[in-house]
Amino acid sequence: MTGVLLAAVKVAVAFGFLMGTVIVLVWAERRIVAFMQNRHGPNRAGPAGILQTAADGLKLFFKESMTPRKAEFALYIAAPVLAVVPALLVFAVIPVGAPITIGGVTYTLQVTDLDVGVLYVLAVSSLGVYAVTLAGWSSGSKYPLLGSVRAAAQMISYEAALGLALVPVIMFTGTTSLAEIVEAQGGTFGGGLPAWNLVLVPSFVIFLIAGFAETNRAPFDLVEAEQEIVGGYHTEYSGMRFAFFFLAEYINVFNMAALTTVFFLGGWHGPRFGPPAVEMALPVVWFLAKTWAIVFLFIWVRATLPRVRYDQLMAFGWKRLIPVSLVWIFLSMVAIGVRRFGLPWA
Amino acid sequence: MLNAYFGDYITVAVFMAVGALLVAGAIFASSLIAPRRPGGFKEVVYESGIEPIGGGWNQSHIRYYVFALLFLIFDVEAIFMFPWAIRLDFFAEAGLGITVLVEMIVFVVVLVLGLLYALAKGVLRWE
């Protein structure tokens, strides 16, 4: 019974955490991009404009949701739900902090730890393609259809690279559970550098680039290239239905940054000191600091790089990223083999 | 214990159900509160301000299916590699370290040949 109660509390906390994160994230992106472009950004609602996203959300809630005459209504209305649910599900396996002990009972700071965590993440995040495809097709409009076909091709192209980038990580740590991958990154290499998977630099770079493409962020935001295909797959959505596509997009950005932290930046590992309460809270602080650093990188890249052309996008994915990740898998196999079994001629 | 194993997945299922209900509920609640006056040009699809020309479901290029096929190959490949990568220690203890390593390298090389073939056939070209 306590198990059910605990699961319920975790689910509730996770939802609250994600909603709060998105509210801050959207505001942070608008403010940071604004400062990089020498303007102010939203600064009226609440202190420094931090309530702007909440205000926008409320406004969308009271707006009329229009439906195009030719839309396939059942699929049209299902698409926003299908967009948000996979985004939420990915977050369910991310460990946001070290296990904490209160009154002799240890709680993990993760909704649930699956043994096949990495496979689960890859599988669930692919489901997002359905939302995009169905939204574009069911709208019964030209530009959303074009946008969704583009999005589907882009997302599956870069997902292959995303999966391949994780093979060396799993070889290195010997587990697919996200909690154990973080656990394996504790300590240091010979007392100097922290033992993060960041030593697998090519994997990190491939994962990050594929992550930009997976979340449809600049410079790979062709899915919603305003100059070519209006708003992309969600052109015909308005009101609350549009708000959920927006929500899913930003949850995905946060998830991708959190996954980068878990796989490569040592998750919640970091110096721990101070009285027990502070010592217990520090891992969460480290995790959030690393994740937000990656989020900042996402925003920085968006403000800096121009959008790539479609043929460049596909050529980069298939002719650069995937061959490079295959070569890197080969090299890391040899390196890990030598490290474990010694030189073949020795 | 059976319960401990399925417990994790039941939590995931609950998470999914709660998420879907919240989103669907919010859309439904919004439809109750928000004004609703359908008709006229509101229901016409957006085409940059001009009246839409032709149907909504226009033809799109079939070349995209090639990516679906290629994706399937490379994603399944990655999934084959994950269990292999986890059991590396197990094989090493059984004295099969070098053998399984060479086997996986052969597997990857075969797939690289596949990608090179696709490249040579020109399916990865855009005009």
Side-chain angles (χ1 to χ4, degrees), chain A residues 61 63-64 69 88 113 119 137 142 156 170 236 314 319 333 341, chain B residues 15 30 34 37 42-43 46-47 53 57 71 82 92 104 124 126:
Chain A
F61 189 77
K63 279 270 188 180
E64 178 177 7
R69 200 176 297 139
L88 292 173
D113 180 34
L119 286 178
W137 183 80
K142 278 186 205 114
I156 62 174
I170 294 166
E236 297 299 339
M314 291 315 242
K319 293 181 190 167
M333 268 180 198
F341 320 125
Chain B
F15 202 69
S30 158
R37 294 183 200 87
K42 270 184 195 174
E43 294 175 8
Y46 183 73
E47 252 171 54
I53 298 161
W57 288 281
F71 161 72
F82 286 154
M104 191 44 90
L124 299 179
W126 291 266

PDB file of all heavy atoms in Angstrom, chain A residues 61 63-64 69 88 113 119 137 142 156 170 236 314 319 333 341, chain B residues 15 30 34 37 42-43 46-47 53 57 71 82 92 104 124 126:
ATOM      1  N   PHE A  61      -5.992  29.213 -22.738  1.00  0.00           N
ATOM      2  CA  PHE A  61      -7.067  28.400 -22.166  1.00  0.00           C
ATOM      3  C   PHE A  61      -8.437  29.010 -22.471  1.00  0.00           C
ATOM      4  O   PHE A  61      -9.414  28.294 -22.682  1.00  0.00           O
ATOM      5  CB  PHE A  61      -6.863  28.289 -20.654  1.00  0.00           C
ATOM      6  CG  PHE A  61      -7.776  27.304 -19.992  1.00  0.00           C
ATOM      7  CD1 PHE A  61      -7.526  25.942 -20.087  1.00  0.00           C
ATOM      8  CD2 PHE A  61      -8.883  27.724 -19.283  1.00  0.00           C
ATOM      9  CE1 PHE A  61      -8.354  25.025 -19.488  1.00  0.00           C
ATOM     10  CE2 PHE A  61      -9.725  26.812 -18.674  1.00  0.00           C
ATOM     11  CZ  PHE A  61      -9.462  25.460 -18.776  1.00  0.00           C
ATOM     12  N   LYS A  63      -9.145  30.914 -25.066  1.00  0.00           N
ATOM     13  CA  LYS A  63      -9.292  31.244 -26.483  1.00  0.00           C
ATOM     14  C   LYS A  63     -10.125  30.200 -27.202  1.00  0.00           C
ATOM     15  O   LYS A  63     -10.141  29.025 -26.831  1.00  0.00           O
ATOM     16  CB  LYS A  63      -7.903  31.292 -27.133  1.00  0.00           C
ATOM     17  CG  LYS A  63      -7.187  32.591 -26.905  1.00  0.00           C
ATOM     18  CD  LYS A  63      -7.522  33.534 -28.027  1.00  0.00           C
ATOM     19  CE  LYS A  63      -6.657  34.784 -27.927  1.00  0.00           C
ATOM     20  NZ  LYS A  63      -6.966  35.698 -29.014  1.00  0.00           N
ATOM     21  N   GLU A  64     -10.764  30.620 -28.269  1.00  0.00           N
ATOM     22  CA  GLU A  64     -11.528  29.677 -29.073  1.00  0.00           C
ATOM     23  C   GLU A  64     -10.579  28.760 -29.841  1.00  0.00           C
ATOM     24  O   GLU A  64      -9.576  29.208 -30.385  1.00  0.00           O
ATOM     25  CB  GLU A  64     -12.403  30.434 -30.075  1.00  0.00           C
ATOM     26  CG  GLU A  64     -13.181  29.491 -30.978  1.00  0.00           C
ATOM     27  CD  GLU A  64     -14.113  30.225 -31.918  1.00  0.00           C
ATOM     28  OE1 GLU A  64     -14.068  31.457 -31.958  1.00  0.00           O
ATOM     29  OE2 GLU A  64     -14.889  29.535 -32.600  1.00  0.00           O
ATOM     30  N   ARG A  69     -12.436  22.889 -41.624  1.00  0.00           N
ATOM     31  CA  ARG A  69     -13.603  22.132 -42.080  1.00  0.00           C
ATOM     32  C   ARG A  69     -13.210  20.732 -42.538  1.00  0.00           C
ATOM     33  O   ARG A  69     -13.919  19.768 -42.336  1.00  0.00           O
ATOM     34  CB  ARG A  69     -14.278  22.895 -43.229  1.00  0.00           C
ATOM     35  CG  ARG A  69     -15.728  22.495 -43.470  1.00  0.00           C
ATOM     36  CD  ARG A  69     -16.317  23.368 -44.557  1.00  0.00           C
ATOM     37  NE  ARG A  69     -16.347  24.775 -44.157  1.00  0.00           N
ATOM     38  CZ  ARG A  69     -16.035  25.790 -44.972  1.00  0.00           C
ATOM     39  NH1 ARG A  69     -15.638  25.541 -46.198  1.00  0.00           N
ATOM     40  NH2 ARG A  69     -16.099  27.029 -44.551  1.00  0.00           N
ATOM     41  N   LEU A  88       6.257  13.320 -21.431  1.00  0.00           N
ATOM     42  CA  LEU A  88       6.156  13.070 -19.990  1.00  0.00           C
ATOM     43  C   LEU A  88       6.801  11.735 -19.629  1.00  0.00           C
ATOM     44  O   LEU A  88       7.512  11.620 -18.636  1.00  0.00           O
ATOM     45  CB  LEU A  88       4.690  13.044 -19.562  1.00  0.00           C
ATOM     46  CG  LEU A  88       3.914  14.355 -19.629  1.00  0.00           C
ATOM     47  CD1 LEU A  88       2.455  14.096 -19.337  1.00  0.00           C
ATOM     48  CD2 LEU A  88       4.470  15.344 -18.631  1.00  0.00           C
ATOM     49  N   ASP A 113      12.679   3.302 -11.897  1.00  0.00           N
ATOM     50  CA  ASP A 113      13.943   2.936 -12.525  1.00  0.00           C
ATOM     51  C   ASP A 113      13.770   1.624 -13.266  1.00  0.00           C
ATOM     52  O   ASP A 113      13.658   0.568 -12.661  1.00  0.00           O
ATOM     53  CB  ASP A 113      15.039   2.806 -11.471  1.00  0.00           C
ATOM     54  CG  ASP A 113      16.365   2.421 -12.103  1.00  0.00           C
ATOM     55  OD1 ASP A 113      16.602   2.875 -13.232  1.00  0.00           O
ATOM     56  OD2 ASP A 113      17.130   1.673 -11.478  1.00  0.00           O
ATOM     57  N   LEU A 119      16.736   1.711 -23.570  1.00  0.00           N
ATOM     58  CA  LEU A 119      15.831   1.255 -24.632  1.00  0.00           C
ATOM     59  C   LEU A 119      14.472   1.926 -24.496  1.00  0.00           C
ATOM     60  O   LEU A 119      13.863   2.341 -25.477  1.00  0.00           O
ATOM     61  CB  LEU A 119      15.660  -0.266 -24.559  1.00  0.00           C
ATOM     62  CG  LEU A 119      16.840  -1.096 -25.026  1.00  0.00           C
ATOM     63  CD1 LEU A 119      16.545  -2.563 -24.860  1.00  0.00           C
ATOM     64  CD2 LEU A 119      17.134  -0.794 -26.471  1.00  0.00           C
ATOM     65  N   TRP A 137      -1.194  15.517 -40.986  1.00  0.00           N
ATOM     66  CA  TRP A 137      -2.075  14.882 -41.966  1.00  0.00           C
ATOM     67  C   TRP A 137      -3.536  15.196 -41.691  1.00  0.00           C
ATOM     68  O   TRP A 137      -4.306  15.500 -42.602  1.00  0.00           O
ATOM     69  CB  TRP A 137      -1.864  13.367 -41.940  1.00  0.00           C
ATOM     70  CG  TRP A 137      -2.685  12.675 -42.961  1.00  0.00           C
ATOM     71  CD1 TRP A 137      -2.393  12.564 -44.274  1.00  0.00           C
ATOM     72  CD2 TRP A 137      -3.945  12.051 -42.750  1.00  0.00           C
ATOM     73  NE1 TRP A 137      -3.398  11.897 -44.912  1.00  0.00           N
ATOM     74  CE2 TRP A 137      -4.366  11.576 -44.004  1.00  0.00           C
ATOM     75  CE3 TRP A 137      -4.758  11.858 -41.638  1.00  0.00           C
ATOM     76  CZ2 TRP A 137      -5.575  10.912 -44.162  1.00  0.00           C
ATOM     77  CZ3 TRP A 137      -5.952  11.200 -41.797  1.00  0.00           C
ATOM     78  CH2 TRP A 137      -6.346  10.729 -43.053  1.00  0.00           C
ATOM     79  N   LYS A 142      -2.259  22.072 -46.671  1.00  0.00           N
ATOM     80  CA  LYS A 142      -1.022  21.756 -47.387  1.00  0.00           C
ATOM     81  C   LYS A 142       0.227  21.893 -46.521  1.00  0.00           C
ATOM     82  O   LYS A 142       1.028  20.973 -46.422  1.00  0.00           O
ATOM     83  CB  LYS A 142      -0.863  22.714 -48.563  1.00  0.00           C
ATOM     84  CG  LYS A 142      -1.648  22.315 -49.757  1.00  0.00           C
ATOM     85  CD  LYS A 142      -1.319  23.240 -50.902  1.00  0.00           C
ATOM     86  CE  LYS A 142      -2.465  23.258 -51.864  1.00  0.00           C
ATOM     87  NZ  LYS A 142      -3.131  24.546 -51.938  1.00  0.00           N
ATOM     88  N   ILE A 156      13.365  10.546 -37.695  1.00  0.00           N
ATOM     89  CA  ILE A 156      13.870   9.167 -37.760  1.00  0.00           C
ATOM     90  C   ILE A 156      15.315   9.141 -38.224  1.00  0.00           C
ATOM     91  O   ILE A 156      16.079   8.286 -37.793  1.00  0.00           O
ATOM     92  CB  ILE A 156      12.972   8.237 -38.614  1.00  0.00           C
ATOM     93  CG1 ILE A 156      12.909   8.687 -40.043  1.00  0.00           C
ATOM     94  CG2 ILE A 156      11.597   8.101 -38.017  1.00  0.00           C
ATOM     95  CD1 ILE A 156      12.158   7.705 -40.910  1.00  0.00           C
ATOM     96  N   ILE A 170      27.043   2.450 -23.114  1.00  0.00           N
ATOM     97  CA  ILE A 170      26.609   1.212 -22.467  1.00  0.00           C
ATOM     98  C   ILE A 170      27.768   0.227 -22.355  1.00  0.00           C
ATOM     99  O   ILE A 170      27.909  -0.464 -21.343  1.00  0.00           O
ATOM    100  CB  ILE A 170      25.424   0.611 -23.238  1.00  0.00           C
ATOM    101  CG1 ILE A 170      24.239   1.556 -23.113  1.00  0.00           C
ATOM    102  CG2 ILE A 170      25.050  -0.749 -22.707  1.00  0.00           C
ATOM    103  CD1 ILE A 170      23.152   1.262 -24.058  1.00  0.00           C
ATOM    104  N   GLU A 236      -2.620  24.620 -38.106  1.00  0.00           N
ATOM    105  CA  GLU A 236      -4.084  24.699 -37.988  1.00  0.00           C
ATOM    106  C   GLU A 236      -4.573  24.537 -36.546  1.00  0.00           C
ATOM    107  O   GLU A 236      -5.766  24.373 -36.320  1.00  0.00           O
ATOM    108  CB  GLU A 236      -4.729  23.622 -38.871  1.00  0.00           C
ATOM    109  CG  GLU A 236      -4.442  23.795 -40.351  1.00  0.00           C
ATOM    110  CD  GLU A 236      -4.956  25.116 -40.903  1.00  0.00           C
ATOM    111  OE1 GLU A 236      -5.858  25.691 -40.275  1.00  0.00           O
ATOM    112  OE2 GLU A 236      -4.440  25.553 -41.933  1.00  0.00           O
ATOM    113  N   MET A 314      19.687  16.419 -44.328  1.00  0.00           N
ATOM    114  CA  MET A 314      19.673  14.988 -44.559  1.00  0.00           C
ATOM    115  C   MET A 314      21.072  14.475 -44.865  1.00  0.00           C
ATOM    116  O   MET A 314      21.484  13.424 -44.369  1.00  0.00           O
ATOM    117  CB  MET A 314      18.732  14.646 -45.721  1.00  0.00           C
ATOM    118  CG  MET A 314      17.300  14.886 -45.382  1.00  0.00           C
ATOM    119  SD  MET A 314      16.895  14.243 -43.755  1.00  0.00           S
ATOM    120  CE  MET A 314      15.684  13.048 -44.151  1.00  0.00           C
ATOM    121  N   LYS A 319      25.329  11.130 -44.147  1.00  0.00           N
ATOM    122  CA  LYS A 319      26.675  10.988 -44.694  1.00  0.00           C
ATOM    123  C   LYS A 319      27.759  11.400 -43.714  1.00  0.00           C
ATOM    124  O   LYS A 319      28.934  11.122 -43.937  1.00  0.00           O
ATOM    125  CB  LYS A 319      26.805  11.831 -45.969  1.00  0.00           C
ATOM    126  CG  LYS A 319      25.944  11.305 -47.090  1.00  0.00           C
ATOM    127  CD  LYS A 319      26.124  12.140 -48.323  1.00  0.00           C
ATOM    128  CE  LYS A 319      25.102  11.779 -49.371  1.00  0.00           C
ATOM    129  NZ  LYS A 319      25.057  12.772 -50.435  1.00  0.00           N
ATOM    130  N   MET A 333      35.154   0.125 -29.315  1.00  0.00           N
ATOM    131  CA  MET A 333      35.203  -1.326 -29.085  1.00  0.00           C
ATOM    132  C   MET A 333      36.641  -1.782 -28.910  1.00  0.00           C
ATOM    133  O   MET A 333      36.971  -2.508 -27.982  1.00  0.00           O
ATOM    134  CB  MET A 333      34.638  -2.063 -30.297  1.00  0.00           C
ATOM    135  CG  MET A 333      33.189  -2.371 -30.222  1.00  0.00           C
ATOM    136  SD  MET A 333      32.805  -3.206 -31.753  1.00  0.00           S
ATOM    137  CE  MET A 333      31.070  -2.985 -31.729  1.00  0.00           C
ATOM    138  N   PHE A 341      40.937  -6.659 -21.870  1.00  0.00           N
ATOM    139  CA  PHE A 341      41.579  -7.947 -22.129  1.00  0.00           C
ATOM    140  C   PHE A 341      43.067  -7.818 -22.441  1.00  0.00           C
ATOM    141  O   PHE A 341      43.734  -8.799 -22.689  1.00  0.00           O
ATOM    142  CB  PHE A 341      40.897  -8.674 -23.298  1.00  0.00           C
ATOM    143  CG  PHE A 341      39.401  -8.558 -23.296  1.00  0.00           C
ATOM    144  CD1 PHE A 341      38.721  -8.080 -24.401  1.00  0.00           C
ATOM    145  CD2 PHE A 341      38.678  -8.922 -22.168  1.00  0.00           C
ATOM    146  CE1 PHE A 341      37.336  -7.974 -24.391  1.00  0.00           C
ATOM    147  CE2 PHE A 341      37.300  -8.813 -22.166  1.00  0.00           C
ATOM    148  CZ  PHE A 341      36.630  -8.341 -23.265  1.00  0.00           C
TER     149      PHE A 341
ATOM    150  N   PHE B  15       1.570   6.764 -14.841  1.00  0.00           N
ATOM    151  CA  PHE B  15       2.108   8.052 -15.291  1.00  0.00           C
ATOM    152  C   PHE B  15       1.510   8.439 -16.636  1.00  0.00           C
ATOM    153  O   PHE B  15       1.068   9.569 -16.851  1.00  0.00           O
ATOM    154  CB  PHE B  15       3.629   7.915 -15.403  1.00  0.00           C
ATOM    155  CG  PHE B  15       4.365   9.207 -15.330  1.00  0.00           C
ATOM    156  CD1 PHE B  15       4.404   9.922 -14.145  1.00  0.00           C
ATOM    157  CD2 PHE B  15       5.047   9.703 -16.421  1.00  0.00           C
ATOM    158  CE1 PHE B  15       5.100  11.118 -14.061  1.00  0.00           C
ATOM    159  CE2 PHE B  15       5.748  10.889 -16.344  1.00  0.00           C
ATOM    160  CZ  PHE B  15       5.770  11.590 -15.169  1.00  0.00           C
ATOM    161  N   SER B  30     -11.215  23.569 -21.523  1.00  0.00           N
ATOM    162  CA  SER B  30     -11.064  24.786 -22.307  1.00  0.00           C
ATOM    163  C   SER B  30     -12.210  24.933 -23.305  1.00  0.00           C
ATOM    164  O   SER B  30     -12.733  26.030 -23.509  1.00  0.00           O
ATOM    165  CB  SER B  30      -9.720  24.758 -23.043  1.00  0.00           C
ATOM    166  OG  SER B  30      -9.745  25.618 -24.145  1.00  0.00           O
ATOM    167  N   ALA B  34     -14.130  28.348 -23.299  1.00  0.00           N
ATOM    168  CA  ALA B  34     -13.797  29.253 -24.393  1.00  0.00           C
ATOM    169  C   ALA B  34     -15.024  29.499 -25.284  1.00  0.00           C
ATOM    170  O   ALA B  34     -15.903  28.643 -25.381  1.00  0.00           O
ATOM    171  CB  ALA B  34     -12.667  28.654 -25.220  1.00  0.00           C
ATOM    172  N   ARG B  37     -17.778  29.986 -31.847  1.00  0.00           N
ATOM    173  CA  ARG B  37     -18.658  30.486 -32.910  1.00  0.00           C
ATOM    174  C   ARG B  37     -18.088  30.067 -34.249  1.00  0.00           C
ATOM    175  O   ARG B  37     -17.448  30.851 -34.950  1.00  0.00           O
ATOM    176  CB  ARG B  37     -18.746  32.022 -32.833  1.00  0.00           C
ATOM    177  CG  ARG B  37     -19.446  32.484 -31.572  1.00  0.00           C
ATOM    178  CD  ARG B  37     -19.599  33.996 -31.526  1.00  0.00           C
ATOM    179  NE  ARG B  37     -19.811  34.405 -30.148  1.00  0.00           N
ATOM    180  CZ  ARG B  37     -18.831  34.658 -29.289  1.00  0.00           C
ATOM    181  NH1 ARG B  37     -17.574  34.556 -29.680  1.00  0.00           N
ATOM    182  NH2 ARG B  37     -19.110  35.013 -28.053  1.00  0.00           N
ATOM    183  N   LYS B  42     -13.240  31.122 -40.719  1.00  0.00           N
ATOM    184  CA  LYS B  42     -12.487  30.495 -39.643  1.00  0.00           C
ATOM    185  C   LYS B  42     -12.146  29.050 -39.966  1.00  0.00           C
ATOM    186  O   LYS B  42     -11.107  28.542 -39.563  1.00  0.00           O
ATOM    187  CB  LYS B  42     -13.332  30.477 -38.371  1.00  0.00           C
ATOM    188  CG  LYS B  42     -13.173  31.669 -37.496  1.00  0.00           C
ATOM    189  CD  LYS B  42     -13.998  31.421 -36.258  1.00  0.00           C
ATOM    190  CE  LYS B  42     -14.200  32.688 -35.495  1.00  0.00           C
ATOM    191  NZ  LYS B  42     -15.110  32.461 -34.378  1.00  0.00           N
ATOM    192  N   GLU B  43     -13.059  28.396 -40.653  1.00  0.00           N
ATOM    193  CA  GLU B  43     -12.874  26.961 -40.887  1.00  0.00           C
ATOM    194  C   GLU B  43     -12.045  26.660 -42.123  1.00  0.00           C
ATOM    195  O   GLU B  43     -11.797  25.503 -42.446  1.00  0.00           O
ATOM    196  CB  GLU B  43     -14.245  26.283 -41.005  1.00  0.00           C
ATOM    197  CG  GLU B  43     -15.004  26.332 -39.701  1.00  0.00           C
ATOM    198  CD  GLU B  43     -16.400  25.776 -39.830  1.00  0.00           C
ATOM    199  OE1 GLU B  43     -16.717  25.216 -40.883  1.00  0.00           O
ATOM    200  OE2 GLU B  43     -17.155  25.922 -38.863  1.00  0.00           O
ATOM    201  N   TYR B  46      -5.292  27.708 -43.387  1.00  0.00           N
ATOM    202  CA  TYR B  46      -4.447  28.876 -43.558  1.00  0.00           C
ATOM    203  C   TYR B  46      -3.448  28.661 -44.678  1.00  0.00           C
ATOM    204  O   TYR B  46      -2.696  27.702 -44.678  1.00  0.00           O
ATOM    205  CB  TYR B  46      -3.709  29.156 -42.251  1.00  0.00           C
ATOM    206  CG  TYR B  46      -2.855  30.385 -42.302  1.00  0.00           C
ATOM    207  CD1 TYR B  46      -3.444  31.649 -42.298  1.00  0.00           C
ATOM    208  CD2 TYR B  46      -1.487  30.295 -42.373  1.00  0.00           C
ATOM    209  CE1 TYR B  46      -2.668  32.773 -42.346  1.00  0.00           C
ATOM    210  CE2 TYR B  46      -0.697  31.425 -42.424  1.00  0.00           C
ATOM    211  CZ  TYR B  46      -1.294  32.662 -42.415  1.00  0.00           C
ATOM    212  OH  TYR B  46      -0.529  33.794 -42.473  1.00  0.00           O
ATOM    213  N   GLU B  47      -3.483  29.550 -45.659  1.00  0.00           N
ATOM    214  CA  GLU B  47      -2.474  29.476 -46.710  1.00  0.00           C
ATOM    215  C   GLU B  47      -1.928  30.866 -46.954  1.00  0.00           C
ATOM    216  O   GLU B  47      -2.051  31.428 -48.032  1.00  0.00           O
ATOM    217  CB  GLU B  47      -3.063  28.860 -47.979  1.00  0.00           C
ATOM    218  CG  GLU B  47      -2.546  27.454 -48.212  1.00  0.00           C
ATOM    219  CD  GLU B  47      -3.267  26.736 -49.321  1.00  0.00           C
ATOM    220  OE1 GLU B  47      -3.348  27.264 -50.432  1.00  0.00           O
ATOM    221  OE2 GLU B  47      -3.769  25.610 -49.058  1.00  0.00           O
ATOM    222  N   ILE B  53      -5.906  26.826 -52.480  1.00  0.00           N
ATOM    223  CA  ILE B  53      -6.032  26.325 -53.846  1.00  0.00           C
ATOM    224  C   ILE B  53      -5.895  24.811 -53.809  1.00  0.00           C
ATOM    225  O   ILE B  53      -4.931  24.286 -53.234  1.00  0.00           O
ATOM    226  CB  ILE B  53      -4.941  26.931 -54.756  1.00  0.00           C
ATOM    227  CG1 ILE B  53      -5.128  28.452 -54.817  1.00  0.00           C
ATOM    228  CG2 ILE B  53      -4.991  26.315 -56.154  1.00  0.00           C
ATOM    229  CD1 ILE B  53      -3.916  29.185 -55.278  1.00  0.00           C
ATOM    230  N   TRP B  57      -4.874  17.386 -49.006  1.00  0.00           N
ATOM    231  CA  TRP B  57      -3.928  16.270 -49.043  1.00  0.00           C
ATOM    232  C   TRP B  57      -3.238  16.228 -50.397  1.00  0.00           C
ATOM    233  O   TRP B  57      -3.606  15.440 -51.270  1.00  0.00           O
ATOM    234  CB  TRP B  57      -4.659  14.963 -48.757  1.00  0.00           C
ATOM    235  CG  TRP B  57      -5.060  14.862 -47.319  1.00  0.00           C
ATOM    236  CD1 TRP B  57      -4.264  14.519 -46.285  1.00  0.00           C
ATOM    237  CD2 TRP B  57      -6.345  15.115 -46.764  1.00  0.00           C
ATOM    238  NE1 TRP B  57      -4.969  14.560 -45.099  1.00  0.00           N
ATOM    239  CE2 TRP B  57      -6.240  14.915 -45.371  1.00  0.00           C
ATOM    240  CE3 TRP B  57      -7.572  15.520 -47.296  1.00  0.00           C
ATOM    241  CZ2 TRP B  57      -7.327  15.095 -44.515  1.00  0.00           C
ATOM    242  CZ3 TRP B  57      -8.639  15.694 -46.447  1.00  0.00           C
ATOM    243  CH2 TRP B  57      -8.503  15.477 -45.073  1.00  0.00           C
ATOM    244  N   PHE B  71      16.303   3.846 -41.654  1.00  0.00           N
ATOM    245  CA  PHE B  71      16.180   4.049 -40.212  1.00  0.00           C
ATOM    246  C   PHE B  71      15.947   2.724 -39.504  1.00  0.00           C
ATOM    247  O   PHE B  71      16.547   2.424 -38.480  1.00  0.00           O
ATOM    248  CB  PHE B  71      15.013   4.994 -39.918  1.00  0.00           C
ATOM    249  CG  PHE B  71      14.516   4.920 -38.502  1.00  0.00           C
ATOM    250  CD1 PHE B  71      15.271   5.430 -37.472  1.00  0.00           C
ATOM    251  CD2 PHE B  71      13.306   4.326 -38.207  1.00  0.00           C
ATOM    252  CE1 PHE B  71      14.829   5.358 -36.172  1.00  0.00           C
ATOM    253  CE2 PHE B  71      12.854   4.246 -36.920  1.00  0.00           C
ATOM    254  CZ  PHE B  71      13.624   4.763 -35.894  1.00  0.00           C
ATOM    255  N   PHE B  82      22.939  -3.163 -27.914  1.00  0.00           N
ATOM    256  CA  PHE B  82      22.771  -2.857 -26.484  1.00  0.00           C
ATOM    257  C   PHE B  82      22.948  -4.090 -25.596  1.00  0.00           C
ATOM    258  O   PHE B  82      23.774  -4.056 -24.676  1.00  0.00           O
ATOM    259  CB  PHE B  82      21.414  -2.202 -26.222  1.00  0.00           C
ATOM    260  CG  PHE B  82      21.331  -0.771 -26.685  1.00  0.00           C
ATOM    261  CD1 PHE B  82      20.119  -0.207 -27.025  1.00  0.00           C
ATOM    262  CD2 PHE B  82      22.475  -0.005 -26.773  1.00  0.00           C
ATOM    263  CE1 PHE B  82      20.055   1.108 -27.456  1.00  0.00           C
ATOM    264  CE2 PHE B  82      22.422   1.302 -27.200  1.00  0.00           C
ATOM    265  CZ  PHE B  82      21.204   1.859 -27.542  1.00  0.00           C
ATOM    266  N   ALA B  92      33.766 -11.869 -21.181  1.00  0.00           N
ATOM    267  CA  ALA B  92      35.186 -11.776 -20.844  1.00  0.00           C
ATOM    268  C   ALA B  92      35.553 -12.825 -19.800  1.00  0.00           C
ATOM    269  O   ALA B  92      36.594 -13.478 -19.893  1.00  0.00           O
ATOM    270  CB  ALA B  92      35.504 -10.386 -20.334  1.00  0.00           C
ATOM    271  N   MET B 104      31.325  -8.692 -33.186  1.00  0.00           N
ATOM    272  CA  MET B 104      30.550  -7.449 -33.288  1.00  0.00           C
ATOM    273  C   MET B 104      31.169  -6.503 -34.301  1.00  0.00           C
ATOM    274  O   MET B 104      30.462  -5.796 -35.014  1.00  0.00           O
ATOM    275  CB  MET B 104      30.446  -6.792 -31.903  1.00  0.00           C
ATOM    276  CG  MET B 104      29.458  -5.654 -31.836  1.00  0.00           C
ATOM    277  SD  MET B 104      27.889  -5.940 -32.657  1.00  0.00           S
ATOM    278  CE  MET B 104      26.896  -6.649 -31.376  1.00  0.00           C
ATOM    279  N   LEU B 124      20.870   8.560 -51.237  1.00  0.00           N
ATOM    280  CA  LEU B 124      21.082   9.626 -50.268  1.00  0.00           C
ATOM    281  C   LEU B 124      21.389  10.950 -50.973  1.00  0.00           C
ATOM    282  O   LEU B 124      22.096  11.784 -50.454  1.00  0.00           O
ATOM    283  CB  LEU B 124      22.237   9.259 -49.326  1.00  0.00           C
ATOM    284  CG  LEU B 124      22.043   7.996 -48.497  1.00  0.00           C
ATOM    285  CD1 LEU B 124      23.255   7.740 -47.637  1.00  0.00           C
ATOM    286  CD2 LEU B 124      20.813   8.119 -47.615  1.00  0.00           C
ATOM    287  N   TRP B 126      19.969  14.494 -53.010  1.00  0.00           N
ATOM    288  CA  TRP B 126      18.810  15.366 -53.154  1.00  0.00           C
ATOM    289  C   TRP B 126      19.067  16.364 -54.267  1.00  0.00           C
ATOM    290  O   TRP B 126      20.157  16.910 -54.358  1.00  0.00           O
ATOM    291  CB  TRP B 126      18.557  16.136 -51.864  1.00  0.00           C
ATOM    292  CG  TRP B 126      18.088  15.260 -50.784  1.00  0.00           C
ATOM    293  CD1 TRP B 126      16.810  14.993 -50.434  1.00  0.00           C
ATOM    294  CD2 TRP B 126      18.909  14.483 -49.913  1.00  0.00           C
ATOM    295  NE1 TRP B 126      16.784  14.093 -49.411  1.00  0.00           N
ATOM    296  CE2 TRP B 126      18.034  13.767 -49.068  1.00  0.00           C
ATOM    297  CE3 TRP B 126      20.270  14.312 -49.767  1.00  0.00           C
ATOM    298  CZ2 TRP B 126      18.503  12.912 -48.096  1.00  0.00           C
ATOM    299  CZ3 TRP B 126      20.730  13.460 -48.810  1.00  0.00           C
ATOM    300  CH2 TRP B 126      19.856  12.765 -47.976  1.00  0.00           C
TER     301      TRP B 126
END
